[in-house]
Amino acid sequence: MLTSICGINWGDEGKGKMVDFLSADYDIVCRYQGGNNAGHTVINERGKFILNLLPSGILRENIVNVLGMGMVVDIKHLSEEMARLREKGVKITPANLKISDRAEITMPYHVLLDCLEEDRLAGKKFGSTRRGIAPVYADRFMKKGFRMGELLHPEALYARAKEIVEWKNLTIAGGYGHAPVTVDEMIAYFKQYGEPLREYICDTGLYLNEAHKAGKRIMFEAQLGALRDIDYGIWPYTSSSLTIAAYAPIGAGVPNLKLDKSVGIMKAYSTCVGEGPFVSEYFGEKAEKLRAAGGEYGAATGRPRRVGPFDVVASSYGVRCQGADEIALTKLDILSIYDEIEVCTAYELDGKRIREFPFPDLLEKCKPVYEKVKGWHTDISQCRKKADLPKEALDYIAFIEQACNCKIKYVAVGPARDAVICL
Ligand code: GDP
């Protein structure tokens, strides 16, 4: 059984919580793209956890967690994340964490280059999380990066480090005028943060294939949402990896296997961190009210998120890109603040109404068309069954299902593990 859990919108849909909830039925949870540029928040009986690199399954004892080959791994960040979790009593051993030998290593100079470029762009910045993600993926495609598996062969790795550092300094020192990085620093970095991870590194594609043959249930956990996918998203305001479900078997290392199910995580309203077009965005007091109610501040960066009502145009596109068979609608409880709930059901582009998500460049010219739906204006955070939900909440769910042509199977009404209603 292979299931992908992916984001339908701009990210921060509450995937961490839903993976944590759904993972109870799986043996393996695997991340397949991205790095430590997003944060998944999981709240369970042991406390609140923010996970940047580790799959959310790390919080359940019987689950094996995999960092797949499509990922970029900041080894310092990973070491610190593992240490933080261990302090809270989470057990992490090579038995429950496996890191692909083909995953890329995010180096300190990738983070440096990300910051230098964002600073150079100043007012015109892309809203990078400054965690080196675009530079490390760029080097991966230049074939001038380092793979996790190279940590197992240090002699060859250190020799190659010399060549790569020379090449990188052409940009760091020659281009940006920053102090050059040194080979010794890089080797010290590999030794301090890479070598302790060696026992976790293996051919995770082989591991997953064998686990699948043995009947293990595998869940692929995406980071960010469809609209941040490098190819399908609001380019260039996207991440640098493929966030879509179809990429999951490839990024996980099992391109020979087919997904059985794609579960899309969709938020009951819209949020977007960072730059880029966001048609249904609220401003001023309206935005403040929704942001405060939803606690919308980035898990990885602490940045206030841009907020707005549910966007049918963008979300239907997200449902299509993710091939979502089922949807989990999260944070429905936040909409309890409204008597009437606005929904963006179309865009106006050059005087015409459109319902299909346009080419990204055109988004800047699109204006939102809002419709109003009756609210329930009562606390639903304690509801645990469909029958507990007010009629207006069920009507809102049905409205979205119909508008986005999708099946909403789960509704989340609070941050806690059990605050989920199965419809
Ligand atoms: P992710 O990156 O997609 O996992 O999303 P984030 O972790 O950035 O954001 C989700 C935030 O919303 C976290 O603080 C969760 O604890 C919280 N959360 C998730 N689902 C719900 C829900 O249904 N209701 C409420 N009130 N909070 C939720």
Side-chain angles (χ1 to χ4, degrees), residues 384-406:
R384 293 293 177 269
K385 304 189 298 293
K386 185 175 177 183
D388 298 341
L389 285 171
K391 178 183 176 302
E392 293 81 0
L394 290 170
D395 288 347
Y396 184 76
I397 295 166
F399 181 92
I400 288 180
E401 270 190 329
Q402 211 254 331
C404 295
N405 188 26
C406 63

Side-chain angles (χ1 to χ4, degrees), residues 30-33 66-71 100 204-206 208 218 220 247-255:
C30 175
R31 282 266 318 258
Y32 61 91
Q33 46 75 228
V66 174
L67 302 187
M69 68 156 74
M71 287 189 74
S100 167
T204 53
L206 186 62
L208 289 172
I218 304 171
F220 300 114
Y247 183 68
I250 299 172
V254 286

Side-chain angles (χ1 to χ4, degrees), residues 148-159:
M148 290 299 292
E150 288 183 85
L151 291 166
L152 304 176
H153 313 284
E155 300 282 294
L157 170 66
Y158 301 158

Side-chain angles (χ1 to χ4, degrees), residues 7 11-18 38-43 48-51 56 221-224 265 267 269 293-300 305 329-334 381 411-416 419-420:
D12 308 312
E13 296 95 348
K15 286 184 296 301
K17 175 203 150 101
M18 287 312 300
H40 284 172
T41 314
V42 180
I43 298 173
K48 178 171 174 174
F49 298 87
I50 294 183
L51 304 169
S56 309
E221 174 183 12
Q223 172 218 41
L224 300 166
I265 315 297
K267 212 162 182 166
Y269 53 95
E296 295 297 348
Y297 298 89
R305 291 180 184 146
L329 188 70
T330 61
K331 298 193 102 165
L332 190 67
D333 53 309
I334 304 303
S381 63
V411 176
V413 291
V420 177

Side-chain angles (χ1 to χ4, degrees), residues 68-87:
M69 68 156 74
M71 287 189 74
V72 290
V73 181
D74 181 322
I75 51 182
K76 176 169 186 274
H77 193 102
L78 178 60
S79 308
E80 290 167 355
E81 194 169 315
M82 287 163 74
R84 260 203 318 277
L85 261 68
R86 283 189 176 126
E87 267 167 35

